[in-house]
Amino acid sequence: MKETESVAAPVHCFRQSRIPPTNDFKVGMKLEAHDPRNVTSICIATVIGITGARLRLRLDGSDNKNDFWRLVDSSDIQPVGTCEKKGGMLQPPLGFQMNASSWPMFLLRTLNGAEMAPAAFFKKEPPKPAPNCFKVGMKLEAIDRKNPYLICPATIGDVKGDEVFVTFDGWRGAFDYWCRCDSRDIFPVGWCSLTGDALQPPGNNVSITKSSAKIQSSPSKVTRRSMQSPQKSAPVPTQRGRKPGRGKPPGQSAV
Ligand code: MLY
């Protein structure tokens, strides 16, 4: 950041707590979670792993190919019993591996003798930040949505209304995405060092030129990058590479 004279997005732009929540969960604990593939249903999930302020979760009755990650202060998770208390019914996950009729018995068995995560482990979701205050060029740490266990160095590539375009430093654009400015998938610079999560190194396609990092006064079309741009096969410089003062065209990116 120093070398490129880049500017970190201010912490108040993010929907994250200033001091990351403590992660008291243990592997094996059970909780309730919204099914990411069917968000209206609430399922039983097991903590499969712990990474910084996040939990690696697997829905009971699901396979091991659909694990997902949630912050301990995510509103998507809650203590076992919450759903019933609110008059709801726990649902089998999408892709429940058994016959649907065996769900009630499966539910009893999966909860019997299980270690439930205590209510105190669940932290309150931070409030939504004020209007979108991100600017093009600002640095952040962001979840790679194609590899959601990874948190990576990123730059705001564009801003439009309540949305920001997250571009991954050193990659060709294949991982970039638009998200709401209050997304829980984006973090201020320094987040990983505070939570102990591993911040990924940038990809190979980095240009360390000062001009590449200056905040631009107004977001323009030039800064917008294609979301389709393939990682490997781009023979011509990307829009990013073509911009004046951005250094030489990017080389072959690592995959
Ligand atoms: N090489 C792997 C992982 C790429 C991760 C890119 N992120 C960090 C932006 C793949 O191509 O899937």
Side-chain angles (χ1 to χ4, degrees):
M1 294 227 0
K2 234 184 240 166
E3 238 172 280
T4 58
E5 286 178 14
S6 45
V7 177
V11 290
H12 65 262
C13 297
F14 295 87
R15 187 174 200 175
Q16 303 293 352
S17 64
R18 260 151 218 261
I19 300 160
T22 52
N23 192 342
D24 302 311
F25 288 82
K26 302 275 172 291
V27 168
M29 286 180 165
K30 295 210 188 283
L31 47 84
E32 292 179 3
H34 286 264
D35 185 343
R37 294 192 287 168
N38 189 15
V39 290
T40 54
S41 56
I42 298 174
C43 305
I44 293 295
T46 302
V47 177
I48 295 298
I50 310 279
T51 169
R54 296 185 300 156
L55 307 169
R56 176 178 177 170
L57 299 172
R58 187 174 299 164
L59 299 180
D60 289 24
S62 175
D63 54 48
N64 59 4
K65 302 276 181 311
N66 290 287
D67 291 353
F68 56 104
W69 284 258
R70 289 293 176 270
L71 287 158
V72 300
D73 61 1
S74 164
S75 57
D76 288 343
I77 57 169
Q78 57 198 32
V80 173
T82 311
C83 179
E84 197 183 21
K85 230 182 273 170
K86 291 184 176 168
M89 282 243 280
L90 287 168
Q91 302 295 323
L94 200 95
F96 181 52
Q97 286 179 308
M98 272 163 272
N99 195 305
S101 63
S102 62
W103 169 246
M105 191 53 80
F106 177 89
L107 186 57
L108 281 178
R109 288 213 179 122
T110 201
L111 289 176
N112 194 271
E115 189 180 3
M116 320 282 189
F121 289 8
F122 297 82
K123 303 288 157 33
K124 213 172 130 53
E125 187 161 62
K128 284 192 182 190
N132 191 350
C133 65
F134 289 98
K135 300 269 179 294
V136 170
M138 284 178 170
K139 294 287 183 186
L140 68 157
E141 295 177 10
I143 288 180
D144 172 355
R145 286 185 169 173
K146 291 185 178 166
N147 306 278
Y149 44 92
L150 300 177
I151 302 184
C152 314
T155 307
I156 299 294
D158 204 352
V159 179
K160 217 178 200 177
D162 279 344
E163 304 234 325
V164 293
F165 190 51
V166 176
T167 69
F168 287 88
D169 294 356
W171 296 87
R172 282 173 175 273
F175 299 94
D176 300 352
Y177 57 82
W178 282 96
C179 68
R180 290 184 47 90
C181 62
D182 57 10
S183 167
R184 302 304 319 278
D185 289 352
I186 56 176
F187 308 94
V189 170
W191 179 265
C192 283
S193 93
L194 289 173
T195 60
D197 224 333
L199 181 67
Q200 296 303 301
N204 288 338
N205 175 27
V206 271
S207 73
I208 310 283
T209 56
K210 288 182 181 168
S211 51
S212 74
K214 287 269 166 62
I215 305 280
Q216 280 137 26
S217 47
S218 68
S220 66
K221 278 212 177 73
V222 195
T223 59
R224 200 168 303 151
R225 298 167 61 200
S226 161
M227 297 184 68
Q228 264 76 50
S229 104
Q231 247 180 306
K232 278 180 172 169
S233 59
V236 287
T238 58
Q239 287 182 332
R240 201 186 214 190
R242 243 184 279 129
K243 279 179 63 198
R246 308 264 336 220
K248 55 179 163 45
Q252 192 67 34
S253 71
V255 183

